[in-house]
């Protein structure tokens, strides 16, 4: 029987650990071509995990061509030719320098959160309470959609804070957005094509692409996704982040939201996937209602997560299915066991119902706004040599440097003064370069003094290198 080492304490989902392990074993030749793999039932039994977890891992390996499924026979390692590599430990030793990548002192990472604000004492107290209650039911398998009490709590929160119209039976709880998107693809199959904002959340693109779904890149304009381009495509699905477009920070206005909903309602089985990834953090004006909340045709699939609002390691997300898809899910896919521990669900349920989650979000919104404002003030040193967008919400700003250099050159130059920046180009779904280098500057995990020091260092570095900047009219202007 195949042994797959699993780390149940890791933030990496179990299905991904299985996928990565088998993929590596195949690539280094330990699992040779035509080797028969255990059945999903057999491997899940051996590893003491749910069968659905193994099925997700196998599905990913099949979609990438590492294994193949033979009718009435099982799963076999596929022939992958040049992808097979020899492990370094088996090669002749060579002279080489091993560099240990360390984090820069001023790391403006747009994906981090401020863990100094995490309510450790409250979380620990709730955890102890759940265990001390000696609730044996928490150690049994629960509802595949997630415990009803948690779904009710999430439903109330979404309705009051985001205007989402939802009943508990429409909610599915899963171990993060990655799992929920993979499950959603299976619910929606067959899928002709899905339209995604360009630039976009690259992880979602990789998931869709890895599952064999054709993805069409739809450009993002100043008010959101290009609806003309979408209408001229063959897409049946559309993945959007309307309340705070990732990564550009664009907010889709109400008239365009209604046009997008109209597009979805024109044909049967058209759906919009609304990823509401960081809607809690808005610094100007009132919160933007969700797209799902104004949907009258039941064609919006709403997805959210607690990773940004609480902590990345809390691998818990939620998906609100239209009523038309709930029946399809229950008929064909309800055999998938929940991928979130019932103990974790109980803790989160009490965290929401006890009012702790709302207080935590309010506290972090205040903290992030202070850092956000500090970053905006610090950037004023560049005057008209930069353009800033996406400044009304989220945990990062988009900054375009009107400088005669490439994005790669800017990132490399920043590293010389221990400043880590993150380029926009990596988020495009196609090969594209902006006229001027554009970066995402995150502020969540830095102190206000670090933000000021890092921006000052970046300014002085560019000034010392005497880089030419262009004015908004694109005329060269030296320091």
């Amino acid at each position: 029987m195949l042994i797959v080492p699993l780390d149940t304490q890791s933030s990496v989902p179990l299905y991904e650990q299985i996928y990565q392990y088998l993929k590596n074993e195949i690539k280094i030749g330990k699992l040779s071509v035509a080797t028969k793999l255990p059945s999903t039932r057999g491997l899940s039994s051996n590893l003491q995990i749910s069968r659905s977890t193994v099925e997700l891992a196998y599905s990913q390996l099949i979609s990438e061509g590492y294994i193949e499924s033979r009718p009435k026979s099982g799963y076999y390692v596929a022939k992958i030719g040049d992808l097979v590599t020899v492990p370094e430990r088996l090669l002749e030793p060579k002279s080489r320098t091993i560099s240990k990548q360390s984090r820069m002192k001023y790391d403006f990472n747009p994906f981090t959160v401020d863990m100094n604000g995490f309510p450790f004492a409250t979380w620990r107290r709730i955890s102890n309470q759940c265990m001390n209650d000696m609730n044996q039911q928490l150690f049994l398998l629960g509802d595949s959609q997630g415990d009803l009490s948690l779904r009710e709590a999430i439903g109330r929160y979404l309705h009051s804070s985001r205007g989402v119209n939802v009943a508990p039976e429409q909610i599915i709880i899963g171990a993060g957005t990655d799992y929920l998107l993979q499950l959603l693809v299976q619910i929606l199959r067959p899928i002709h094509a899905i339209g995604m904002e360009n630039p976009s959340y690259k992880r979602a693109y990789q998931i869709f692409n890895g599952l064999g779904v054709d993805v069409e890149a739809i450009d993002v304009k100043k008010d959101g996704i290009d609806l003309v381009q979408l209408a001229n495509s063959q897409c049946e699905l559309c993945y959007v982040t309307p309340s705070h477009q990732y990564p550009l920070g664009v907010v889709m206005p109400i008239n365009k939201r209604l046009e997008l909903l109209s597009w979805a309602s024109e044909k049967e089985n058209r759906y919009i996937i609304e990823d509401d990834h960081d809607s809690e953090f808005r610094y100007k004006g009132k919160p933007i209602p969700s797209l799902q909340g104004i949907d009258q045709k039941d064609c919006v699939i709403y997805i959210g997560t607690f990773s940004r609002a609480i902590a990345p390691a809390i691998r818990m997300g939620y998906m609100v299915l239209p009523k038309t898809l709930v029946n399809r899910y229950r008929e064909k896919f309800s055999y998938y066991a929940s991928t979130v521990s019932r103990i974790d669900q109980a803790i989160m349920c009490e965290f929401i119902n006890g009012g702790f989650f709302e207080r935590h979000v309010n506290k972090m919104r205040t903290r992030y706004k202070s850092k956000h404002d500090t970053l905006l003030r610090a950037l004023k040193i560049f005057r008209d040599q930069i353009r800033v967008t996406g400044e009304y919400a989220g945990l990062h700003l988009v900054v375009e440097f009107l400088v005669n250099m490439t994005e790669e050159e800017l990132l490399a130059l920043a590293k010389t003064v221990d400043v880590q920046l993150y380029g926009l180009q990596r988020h495009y779904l196609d090969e594209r370069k902006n006229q001027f280098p554009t970066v995402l500057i995150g502020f969540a995990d830095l102190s206000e003094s670090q933000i000021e020091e890092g921006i000052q260092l970046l300014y002085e570095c560019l000034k010392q290198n005497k880089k030419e900047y262009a004015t908004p009219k694109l005329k060269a202007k030296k320091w």
Side-chain angles (χ1 to χ4, degrees):
M1 176 61 69
L2 182 66
I3 301 297
V4 179
L6 297 178
D7 181 2
T8 57
Q9 303 301 316
S10 172
S11 61
V12 179
L14 294 180
Y15 76 85
E16 189 169 334
Q17 293 184 43
I18 297 172
Y19 155 74
Q20 291 289 356
Y21 177 80
L22 293 178
K23 176 181 175 180
N24 184 63
E25 293 291 282
I26 294 171
K27 291 184 69 174
I28 66 177
K30 281 195 171 183
L31 288 175
S32 57
V33 176
T35 298
K36 186 174 183 179
L37 299 178
S39 66
T40 56
R41 185 185 300 277
L43 186 56
S44 64
S45 176
N46 182 55
L47 299 178
Q48 294 296 296
I49 59 177
S50 70
R51 186 179 178 186
S52 61
T53 301
V54 178
E55 288 176 338
L56 277 174
Y58 276 18
S59 175
Q60 183 68 20
L61 290 166
I62 290 174
S63 65
E64 294 185 16
Y66 286 97
I67 67 175
E68 58 185 4
S69 175
R70 300 179 185 176
K72 299 181 180 180
S73 180
Y75 298 93
Y76 294 83
V77 176
K79 185 177 180 180
I80 56 176
D82 293 339
L83 289 179
V84 176
T85 58
V86 180
E88 288 188 2
R89 64 180 182 272
L90 300 180
L91 297 175
E92 289 293 325
K94 298 179 180 179
S95 175
R96 60 181 179 177
T97 301
I98 300 176
S99 61
K100 184 178 180 180
Q101 186 177 4
S102 59
R103 186 178 178 184
M104 297 283 178
K105 183 177 181 180
Y106 305 99
D107 188 350
F108 291 92
N109 193 329
F111 305 106
T112 56
V113 299
D114 186 352
M115 287 306 299
N116 292 320
F118 185 81
F120 288 101
T122 300
W123 196 267
R124 186 183 302 112
R125 184 172 67 253
I126 296 175
S127 301
N128 291 336
Q129 178 183 331
C130 289
M131 300 303 294
N132 290 336
D133 287 345
M134 298 298 291
N135 189 350
Q136 296 180 357
Q137 294 298 318
L138 295 181
F139 293 88
L140 301 176
L141 287 176
D143 194 303
S144 60
Q145 290 184 232
D147 284 356
L148 177 61
S149 57
L150 177 57
R151 286 186 281 129
E152 289 175 338
I154 291 175
R156 288 191 294 270
Y157 162 70
L158 292 179
H159 183 69
S160 63
S161 66
R162 305 295 297 124
V164 175
N165 298 311
V166 56
E169 57 268 20
Q170 293 176 258
I171 299 176
I172 299 176
I173 297 168
T177 303
D178 295 1
Y179 165 77
L180 293 172
L181 288 177
Q182 292 187 67
L183 177 60
L184 181 61
V185 168
Q186 296 188 64
I187 296 172
L188 293 172
R189 287 192 190 278
I191 303 171
H192 182 74
I194 179 171
M196 289 193 70
E197 300 165 320
N198 190 32
S200 188
Y201 176 47
K202 205 66 173 287
R203 187 73 169 265
Y205 166 76
Q206 292 168 337
I207 291 172
F208 292 137
N209 193 53
L211 293 173
V213 178
D214 289 334
V215 177
E216 290 196 30
I218 310 295
D219 291 340
V220 175
K221 306 176 75 173
K222 291 183 178 181
D223 59 352
I225 193 168
D226 189 334
L227 293 181
V228 175
Q229 189 178 347
L230 177 64
N232 292 331
S233 72
Q234 299 299 315
C235 297
E236 300 166 320
L237 298 171
C238 180
Y239 177 96
V240 291
T241 50
S243 296
H244 183 237
Q245 199 278 332
Y246 189 86
L248 296 180
V250 174
V251 177
M252 187 182 295
I254 185 65
N255 61 326
K256 190 153 193 174
R257 292 177 183 234
L258 294 174
E259 289 179 32
L260 180 58
L261 289 170
S262 177
W263 168 84
S265 63
E266 287 175 357
K267 292 184 179 180
E268 191 176 357
N269 294 324
R270 268 189 183 175
Y271 292 98
I272 300 166
I273 304 172
E274 178 182 14
D275 188 340
D276 210 19
H277 59 101
D278 60 1
S279 59
E280 293 88 358
F281 305 118
R282 183 166 178 80
Y283 314 117
K284 185 175 181 180
K286 296 181 180 180
I288 305 298
S290 68
L291 187 65
Q292 196 269 4
I294 59 173
D295 174 26
Q296 301 295 319
K297 302 294 185 179
D298 205 31
C299 56
V300 175
I301 301 161
Y302 182 92
I303 290 182
T305 177
F306 294 108
S307 296
R308 300 285 273 178
I310 304 179
I314 299 179
R315 302 295 298 168
M316 191 180 303
Y318 42 86
M319 176 166 63
V320 179
L321 291 177
K323 295 176 182 178
T324 53
L325 293 180
V326 171
N327 293 333
R328 188 185 305 180
Y329 161 77
R330 289 185 169 177
E331 289 174 3
K332 298 183 178 181
F333 301 101
S334 60
Y335 61 84
Y336 280 107
S338 177
T339 52
V340 180
S341 159
R342 294 192 69 197
I343 297 175
D344 291 339
Q345 291 186 54
I347 295 171
M348 182 61 72
C349 183
E350 178 57 30
F351 194 65
I352 296 174
N353 287 337
F356 305 110
F357 178 62
E358 184 177 0
R359 287 197 289 273
H360 173 68
V361 169
N362 290 337
K363 179 184 73 173
M364 296 310 297
R365 186 185 296 115
T366 300
R367 180 177 297 207
Y368 287 144
K369 185 180 187 306
S370 180
K371 294 184 179 186
H372 163 275
D373 293 347
T374 297
L375 177 56
L376 282 176
R377 286 194 301 270
L379 287 169
K380 288 182 179 179
I381 194 173
F382 289 96
R383 297 179 181 154
D384 63 349
Q385 297 158 340
I386 61 172
R387 284 194 285 243
V388 179
T389 55
E391 67 271 31
Y392 297 137
L395 302 181
H396 74 272
L397 303 179
V398 181
V399 181
E400 182 182 29
F401 287 80
L402 307 179
V403 61
N404 297 323
M405 64 193 306
T406 66
E407 186 176 289
E408 293 81 2
E409 290 172 336
L410 175 62
L411 300 184
L413 191 59
K415 286 183 178 180
T416 63
V417 290
D418 223 12
V419 173
Q420 179 75 59
L421 300 177
Y422 296 81
L424 176 64
Q425 287 178 190
R426 62 191 292 191
H427 296 284
Y428 281 100
L429 307 184
D430 50 15
E431 293 294 330
R432 185 174 306 196
K433 290 191 176 182
N434 294 307
Q435 182 178 6
F436 296 108
T438 306
V439 297
L440 277 60
I441 301 185
F443 51 82
D445 197 29
L446 294 173
S447 67
E448 292 182 31
S449 61
Q450 285 178 314
I451 292 172
E452 293 171 337
E453 292 167 7
I455 296 301
Q456 181 69 33
L457 280 172
L458 179 62
Y459 174 79
E460 293 174 354
C461 174
L462 290 170
K463 184 176 181 179
Q464 289 171 4
N465 282 271
K466 297 180 180 179
K467 292 297 178 183
E468 286 191 351
Y469 274 72
T471 67
K473 293 184 179 180
L474 309 184
K475 294 180 180 179
K477 178 181 180 181
K478 294 186 178 181
W479 288 97

